[in-house]
Amino acid sequence: VRIIAMTLYVIVVLMSVGFMIWTKKHQKSRVVLASQPFFLYLICIGVIILSTSIIPLTIDDNVAFYDSCTLACNLVTWLVSLGFSITIGALFTKTHRINM
């Protein structure tokens, strides 16, 4: 299970970085300008932070001590909250700017 989780984490991070590179490369096109590149970057960063919560989820009593497991459990909450807030905040702000 740990190998599958890490594989999915790597895929998500590589895709997010790839989308950031694609956005930078096509920054002058009308479609990307209309999509507001700053918010596209924020969405990618939020997804990377959100997917980073997979790493502490793979830590259990067989891998680390009890204190490390407690820290990993707390870290999951922070990473999920921060990543979700950045991603949804960027989407909401982008939608709000379009409807103004």
Side-chain angles (χ1 to χ4, degrees):
V1 174
R2 188 171 292 126
I3 294 171
I4 294 171
M6 290 301 188
T7 304
L8 291 175
Y9 167 72
V10 169
I11 289 170
V12 170
V13 169
L14 288 177
M15 287 182 67
S16 293
V17 170
F19 289 137
M20 290 174 78
I21 292 169
W22 183 88
T23 302
K24 183 67 175 169
K25 184 177 178 183
H26 296 94
Q27 196 167 9
K28 303 287 185 197
S29 70
R30 292 180 68 197
V31 173
V32 175
L33 284 174
S35 299
Q36 303 165 347
F38 177 73
F39 293 113
L40 295 177
Y41 292 134
L42 277 178
I43 291 168
C44 288
I45 291 168
V47 167
I48 290 171
I49 293 171
L50 186 60
S51 67
T52 303
S53 67
I54 293 173
I55 295 171
L57 281 173
T58 62
I59 297 173
D60 59 1
D61 291 340
N62 296 331
V63 178
F65 294 112
Y66 178 77
D67 293 335
S68 300
C69 292
T70 304
L71 180 65
C73 205
N74 290 332
L75 189 60
V76 169
T77 305
W78 281 100
L79 289 172
V80 168
S81 300
L82 184 63
F84 184 78
S85 297
I86 291 172
T87 304
I88 295 300
L91 287 170
F92 178 75
T93 305
K94 186 177 170 187
T95 305
H96 182 69
R97 285 183 67 179
I98 291 172
N99 291 331
M100 282 182 65

